[in-house]
């Protein structure tokens, strides 16, 4: 069969097995996926300069005629060096290429090229190294620059891209209905894809970007809506507003903050309606979301229904289990823990109890959404730290039972524009205040030279009865020079922390072991927990008042904020010491931000500014499918357009089943996991 758009990438001319593997590493498995490998930027070969005006030690565009190619030279270590002499008609320059014999071969003597590369040397003898080049006969002078991996040259990708576009041109298709393109002034898909790679002008590439970004935003919203619309049915668990949650809230060891009280009453009034609740509980780390969740579980149980709480890690699940048991069992509400690491026998017993309704509140990891877990009367599902879950997992939990109420909790404040998409029709309860008596965590950034002194400070706090976390990025030593918990713990026990009780905690330990360590830490038997980021979310030990983070440069702002949220959870003065020897501008800035604010919203805004909005989509942070083009935060107008368009389409054709919407629906399903839309 001839190669087509959806063939394996290896079938594309000149790709083959080795190069194919490199493409696959980039997530590109077919010519179609190659076409969606969008240029990072463009090289404008129109703006070339004479050799004499090239800026030394910078990248320049030159127009050169090659007049002599030297034979490749083999130098040490198998390195091959290729050279050619070239001229712009006035001055000579040497072209130097390392190891890329293939690229060099395509240069011909007596031919003229546009070249882009770093120029070095002096005015007597200049060199341009590893240039990207195109023939001077080429009509398209704006050339794409792709995000690459080692071993795939720009020239190579460009050649393959042209072939892939050729395949699509032979059999072009359009995903948007004609009326939509007209109304929103968008160019056809084929045009957009050609122009995103090989634009003839800035306007052409901009129009292409608009169309493709619109596509992504539209698909995202359609996908989210299609998923939501499946759970629009009325709930079987309209609860009784005459039941009071007061016995529970009054029995808590603390008084709820005003925001917590408000959130509880919002949740309860939702639970008493016959449409399922769809609410986001947003509050910074340590603001007390768990207590609100517990109140909702209490109310649900008193209404004779079950509640399920899903946490992203086993450590967090078992912590929630303990907290909820402690809060709820005195009221006769029965709580269980269901995680993947239980024995099959234990799981079977618990599943039986869930099915019989003996258990009211089920706490666990994603084990609670497995097919074999059946609920007797699931009235409420709660996901904690919801950004940690994929869209598919959240949908699976909501699919359990008979249109249960849904509460999602998150400490990650997100930009408003993004919230509109992700949470669409969710109602939001926000906890903006911290419980009384909390003191902001004092944060210091220091270099390794001060490590010894930092530990002096840590020990002083330990002597006062507090506990500490030391966070390292790695588990085992590697070539990277990054700190690893295993060797760190050994060294600390002999050195800086001699005489103090320490323990290790990392993700590769067995669940039972982790639990044992967490228990001794909670019980105060362990003074210092030397751990990886397994403690990042949710862990709550109020007596822990110091945290040391090694290789702090390795962590993003939001992650540092989450980690730091492990301390400052009780009445004690707490501190966080960030240790890094990295002096890059970016790192210094992050350390400054961390030391100067403890406001999660501010930190996430800064994070957004530093990493760029694309990163929110790039990382799986929000459980959304990955987007490549849409620049959400900067593109409010396009967002609104796409939102309007999605609404219009769904109003006219709720499941997108009409012939003119079929291609679009397929595309939505390609973006999302097929089976969650169905
Ligand atoms: P998060 O919102 O980060 O999930 P948690 O629910 O884990 O926060 O609560 C953090 C800590 O604050 C816990 O130890 C909890 O018992 C305590 N806490 C929660 N609400 C209050 C309150 N109103 N007053 C005092 N302490 C509270
Ligand atoms: Mg929490």
């Amino acid at each position: 069969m001839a190669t087509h758009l959806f063939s394996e990438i290896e079938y594309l001319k000149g790709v083959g097995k080795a190069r194919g593997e490199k493409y696959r590493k980039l997530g590109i498995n077919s010519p179609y996926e190659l076409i969606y490998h969008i240029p990072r930027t463009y090289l404008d070969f129109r703006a070339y300069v004479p050799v004499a005006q090239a800026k030394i030690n910078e990248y320049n565009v030159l127009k050169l005629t090659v007049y002599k190619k030297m034979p490749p030279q083999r130098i040490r270590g198998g390195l091959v060096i290729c050279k050619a002499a070239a001229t712009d008609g006035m001055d000579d320059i040497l072209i130097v290429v390392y190891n890329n014999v293939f690229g060099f071969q395509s240069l011909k003597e007596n031919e003229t090229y546009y070249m882009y590369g770093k120029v070095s040397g002096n005015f007597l003898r200049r060199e341009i190294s590893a240039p990207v080049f195109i023939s001077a006969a080429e009509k398209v002078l704006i050339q794409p620059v792709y995000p690459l991996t080692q071993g795939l040259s720009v020239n190579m990708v460009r050649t393959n891209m042209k072939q892939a576009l050729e395949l699509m041109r032979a059999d072009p298709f359009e995903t948007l209905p004609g009326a939509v393109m007209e109304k929103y002034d968008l160019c056809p898909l084929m045009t957009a894809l050609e122009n995103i790679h090989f634009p003839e002008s800035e306007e052409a590439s901009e129009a292409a970007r608009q169309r493709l970004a619109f596509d992504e935003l539209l698909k995202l919203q359609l996908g989210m809506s299609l998923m939501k619309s499946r759970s629009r049915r009325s709930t079987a668990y309209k609860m009784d507003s005459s039941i009071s949650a007061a016995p529970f809230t009054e029995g808590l060891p603390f008084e709820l903050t005003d925001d917590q009280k408000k959130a509880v009453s919002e949740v309860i009034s939702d639970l008493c309606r016959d449409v399922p609740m769809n609410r986001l509980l947003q509050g910074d780390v340590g603001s007390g979301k768990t207590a609100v969740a517990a109140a909702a579980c209490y109310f649900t149980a008193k209404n004779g229904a079950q509640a399920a709480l899903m946490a992203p890690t086993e450590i967090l699940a078992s912590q929630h289990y303990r907290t909820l048991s402690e809060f709820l069992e005195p009221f006769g509400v029965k709580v269980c823990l269901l995680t993947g690491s239980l024995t099959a026998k234990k799981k079977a017993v618990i599943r039986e109890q869930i099915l019989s309704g003996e258990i009211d509140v089920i706490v666990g990891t994603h084990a609670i959404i497995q097919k074999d877990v059946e609920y007797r009367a699931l009235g409420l599902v709660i996901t904690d730290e919801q950004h940690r879950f994929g869209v598919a997992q959240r949908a699976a939990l909501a699919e359990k039972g008979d249109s249960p109420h849904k509460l999602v909790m998150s400490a990650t404040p997100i930009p408003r524009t993004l919230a509109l998409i992700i949470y669409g029709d969710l109602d939001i309860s926000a906890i903006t205040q911290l419980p009384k008596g909390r003191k902001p965590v004092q944060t210091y950034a220091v270099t390794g030279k001060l490590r010894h002194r930092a530990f002096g400070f840590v020990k002083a706090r330990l002597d006062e009865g507090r506990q500490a976390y030391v966070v390292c990025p790695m588990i085992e030593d590697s070539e990277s020079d990054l700190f690893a918990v295993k060797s760190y713990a050994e060294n600390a026990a002999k050195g800086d922390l001699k005489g103090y009780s320490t323990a290790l905690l990392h993700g590769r330990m067995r669940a039972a072991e982790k639990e044992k360590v967490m228990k001794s830490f909670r019980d105060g038997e362990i003074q210092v927990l030397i751990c990886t980021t397994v403690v990042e979310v949710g862990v709550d030990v109020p007596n822990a008042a110091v945290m040391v983070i090694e290789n702090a440069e390795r962590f993003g702002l939001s992650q540092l904020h989450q980690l730091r949220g492990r301390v400052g959870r009780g009445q004690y003065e707490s501190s966080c010491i960030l240790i890094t020897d990295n002096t890059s501008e970016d790192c210094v800035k992050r350390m400054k931000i961390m030391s100067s604010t403890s406001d999660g919203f501010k930190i996430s805004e800064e994070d957004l500014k530093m990493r760029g909005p694309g990163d929110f989509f790039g990382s799986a942070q929000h459980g959304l499918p990955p987007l490549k083009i849409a620049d959400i935060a900067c593109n409010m107008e396009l967002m609104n357009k796409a939102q309007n368009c999605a609404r219009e389409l769904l109003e006219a054709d709720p499941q997108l089943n009409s012939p003119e919407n079929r291609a679009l629906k397929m595309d939505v399903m390609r973006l999302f996991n097929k089976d969650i839309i169905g």
Side-chain angles (χ1 to χ4, degrees):
M1 199 173 67
T3 311
H4 57 86
L5 205 51
F6 295 93
S7 301
E8 303 299 316
I9 187 77
E10 283 80 2
Y11 291 112
L12 208 53
K13 211 163 58 201
V15 173
K17 195 155 180 275
R19 223 166 256 131
E21 228 154 71
K22 286 175 183 148
Y23 274 125
R24 286 179 192 273
K25 276 208 188 106
L26 291 172
I28 297 167
N29 302 298
S30 64
Y32 173 79
E33 287 177 352
L34 179 60
I35 290 180
Y36 276 91
H37 191 53
I38 303 300
R40 193 160 36 85
T41 171
Y42 299 90
L43 269 182
D44 191 345
F45 287 99
R46 294 174 303 185
Y48 62 91
V49 296
V51 170
Q53 283 174 28
K55 294 205 180 81
I56 302 296
N57 294 326
E58 286 182 28
Y59 284 83
N60 293 270
V61 178
L62 307 174
K63 187 176 184 180
L64 301 173
T65 306
V66 176
Y67 65 85
K68 175 120 189 73
K69 282 176 77 175
M70 283 70 137
Q73 285 170 272
R74 212 161 269 286
I75 54 173
R76 69 199 146 70
L79 204 62
V80 180
I81 184 167
C82 304
K83 293 181 181 172
T87 178
D88 67 352
M90 298 284 287
D91 295 281
D92 282 5
I93 189 165
L94 194 65
I95 301 166
V96 183
V97 178
Y98 291 95
N99 260 1
N100 184 359
V101 183
F102 172 84
F104 189 74
Q105 271 164 358
S106 54
L107 278 179
K108 300 271 178 311
E109 284 181 5
N110 301 319
E111 297 259 337
T112 304
Y113 302 90
Y114 294 104
M115 297 201 172
Y116 169 84
K118 196 168 177 175
V119 174
S120 56
N122 52 44
F123 69 96
L124 287 175
R125 206 179 155 280
R126 293 189 189 78
E127 255 181 47
I128 181 165
S129 47
V132 177
F133 55 87
I134 58 171
S135 162
E138 175 75 64
K139 280 196 284 305
V140 181
L141 293 189
I142 301 175
Q143 291 284 331
V145 178
Y146 298 100
L148 291 178
T149 59
Q150 283 257 310
L152 283 169
S153 74
V154 189
N155 290 325
M156 190 68 223
V157 176
R158 243 194 278 130
T159 308
N160 294 149
M161 193 64 77
K162 284 184 183 153
Q163 295 161 346
L165 284 168
E166 193 70 47
L167 289 176
M168 179 156 176
R169 216 174 294 129
D171 193 10
F173 60 86
E174 177 54 63
T175 50
L176 288 184
V180 169
M181 285 198 281
E182 202 164 309
K183 171 155 186 194
Y184 293 97
D185 194 20
L186 300 163
C187 65
L189 183 60
M190 190 66 232
T191 313
L193 290 172
E194 307 230 34
N195 286 342
I196 198 82
H197 294 289
F198 302 105
E200 277 179 20
S201 63
E202 279 93 358
E203 294 76 47
S205 79
E206 188 44 40
R209 202 166 282 275
Q210 289 281 317
R211 156 76 209 241
L212 297 176
F214 181 91
D215 275 16
E216 282 194 332
L217 295 171
L218 178 68
K219 282 187 277 187
L220 191 60
Q221 306 197 36
L222 289 174
M224 297 303 275
S225 301
L226 288 177
M227 274 182 352
K228 278 173 195 155
S229 71
R230 284 204 307 183
S231 51
R232 276 278 161 63
R233 291 158 295 178
S234 64
T235 177
Y237 301 99
K238 177 174 167 13
M239 299 185 192
D240 178 356
S241 57
S242 69
I243 290 175
S244 166
F248 171 79
T249 51
E250 280 157 18
L252 284 170
F254 41 76
E255 194 190 341
L256 292 179
T257 60
D258 290 346
D259 280 353
Q260 283 172 314
K261 285 181 193 160
K262 182 151 175 270
V264 170
S265 78
E266 284 166 345
V267 166
I268 287 180
S269 89
D270 280 359
L271 292 173
C272 297
R273 300 189 336 158
D274 55 11
V275 290
M277 168 168 75
N278 221 351
R279 184 169 287 278
L280 168 69
L281 178 59
Q282 198 173 45
D284 207 348
V285 279
S287 60
K289 295 182 289 291
T290 316
V292 176
C297 290
Y298 172 89
F299 188 75
T300 302
K302 289 296 162 196
N303 272 276
Q306 290 170 308
L309 169 59
M310 181 162 73
T313 65
E314 293 217 350
I315 293 178
L316 189 50
S318 53
Q319 175 184 294
H320 279 330
Y321 167 65
R322 238 180 359 264
T323 310
L324 293 191
S325 312
E326 193 187 311
F327 284 173
L328 297 171
E329 302 260 345
F331 299 98
V333 174
K334 209 150 178 293
V335 186
C336 77
L337 177 67
L338 181 58
T339 63
S341 64
L342 292 183
T343 62
K345 212 163 134 196
K346 248 189 159 154
K347 270 188 221 160
V349 172
I350 289 179
R351 278 204 304 268
E352 191 48 49
Q353 291 173 321
I354 295 173
L355 184 59
S356 72
E358 202 177 312
I359 285 175
D360 306 295
V361 177
I362 300 91
V363 181
T365 52
H366 50 264
I368 69 177
I369 58 173
Q370 301 306 307
K371 286 214 172 58
D372 55 4
V373 184
E374 283 178 71
Y375 294 81
R376 187 187 62 82
L378 184 60
L380 169 66
V381 302
I382 306 174
T383 32
D384 191 18
E385 305 294 348
Q386 74 84 30
H387 58 284
R388 286 294 180 118
F389 291 102
V391 172
Q393 283 167 317
R394 263 187 286 148
L397 187 53
E399 279 300 290
K400 296 259 169 201
D402 202 353
S403 301
H405 297 281
K406 289 184 296 272
L407 180 66
V408 300
M409 306 200 286
S410 179
T412 312
I414 53 169
R416 244 190 70 76
T417 40
L418 206 54
L420 274 175
I421 296 189
I422 304 178
Y423 302 127
D425 60 349
L426 255 67
D427 302 308
I428 298 184
S429 294
I431 308 183
T432 56
Q433 58 195 165
L434 294 178
K436 268 206 287 292
R438 288 284 172 78
K439 304 183 182 81
V441 181
Q442 295 298 324
T443 303
Y444 313 92
V446 301
T447 63
K449 281 205 193 103
L450 292 180
R451 179 173 292 109
H452 186 64
R453 270 179 63 188
F455 272 97
F457 174 83
V458 171
K459 286 190 280 194
R461 306 309 313 277
L462 297 178
D463 294 341
E464 290 165 14
R466 301 291 77 75
Q467 289 163 284
Y469 298 95
V470 178
V471 180
C472 301
M474 309 296 282
I475 298 176
E476 315 233 20
D477 284 334
S478 64
E479 286 164 19
S480 64
D481 277 354
L482 296 170
F483 281 108
V485 283
K486 283 188 178 170
S487 55
Y488 198 97
E490 272 173 35
N491 295 335
K494 285 182 272 173
D496 275 329
L497 291 174
K498 195 168 171 194
Y500 294 85
S501 62
T502 64
L504 257 184
L505 185 72
H506 60 77
R508 249 187 270 145
M509 286 161 53
R510 287 208 326 273
E513 251 179 293
K514 280 189 242 175
E515 187 45 40
K516 210 171 116 206
V517 170
M518 276 315 293
K519 182 173 181 326
S520 335
F521 189 58
R522 227 171 13 248
D523 293 347
E525 290 156 14
I526 293 168
Q527 291 171 286
V528 185
L529 197 60
I530 297 172
C531 53
T532 58
T533 54
V534 282
V535 297
E536 183 181 342
V537 288
V539 168
D540 184 43
V541 179
N543 189 48
V546 196
M547 173 173 276
V548 175
I549 303 181
E550 291 281 8
N551 294 121
E553 75 279 0
R554 294 281 295 175
F555 305 105
L557 276 176
S558 296
Q559 198 175 13
L560 287 172
H561 182 63
Q562 279 282 342
L563 278 170
R564 177 172 64 180
R566 298 314 112 218
V567 294
R569 302 174 80 84
Q571 75 270 38
Y572 308 109
E573 285 282 353
S574 299
S575 330
C576 176
I577 304 170
L578 307 166
I579 306 185
T580 177
D581 289 320
N582 187 310
T583 51
S584 71
E585 195 185 324
D586 180 85
C587 177
V588 169
K589 190 159 175 216
R590 262 183 288 157
M591 298 306 128
K592 274 211 183 112
I593 293 167
M594 286 305 294
S595 342
S596 62
T597 180
S598 52
D599 179 334
F601 254 107
K602 245 193 219 145
I603 287 175
S604 103
E605 260 169 39
E606 290 293 338
D607 207 14
L608 179 69
K609 263 193 237 155
M610 289 185 71
R611 296 194 302 167
D615 233 52
F616 270 94
F617 280 150
S619 71
Q621 241 197 99
H622 299 289
L624 290 170
L627 298 193
K628 294 178 173 162
I629 305 155
D631 209 27
I632 281 293
C634 307
N635 231 330
M636 196 56 195
E637 195 191 326
L638 199 64
M639 262 250 347
N640 287 337
K641 273 194 195 173
Q643 218 155 25
N644 287 341
C645 180
R647 194 169 347 100
E648 289 158 8
L649 284 169
L650 291 171
E651 263 164 26
D653 180 11
Q655 293 301 318
L656 298 183
N657 285 336
S658 68
E660 69 270 21
N661 290 333
R662 268 199 50 199
L664 182 57
K665 184 166 183 179
M666 292 255 300
D667 219 23
V668 173
M669 285 161 64
R670 249 200 298 267
L671 180 65
F672 282 76
N673 185 338
K674 278 196 184 77
D675 38 277
I676 60 177
I677 293 173

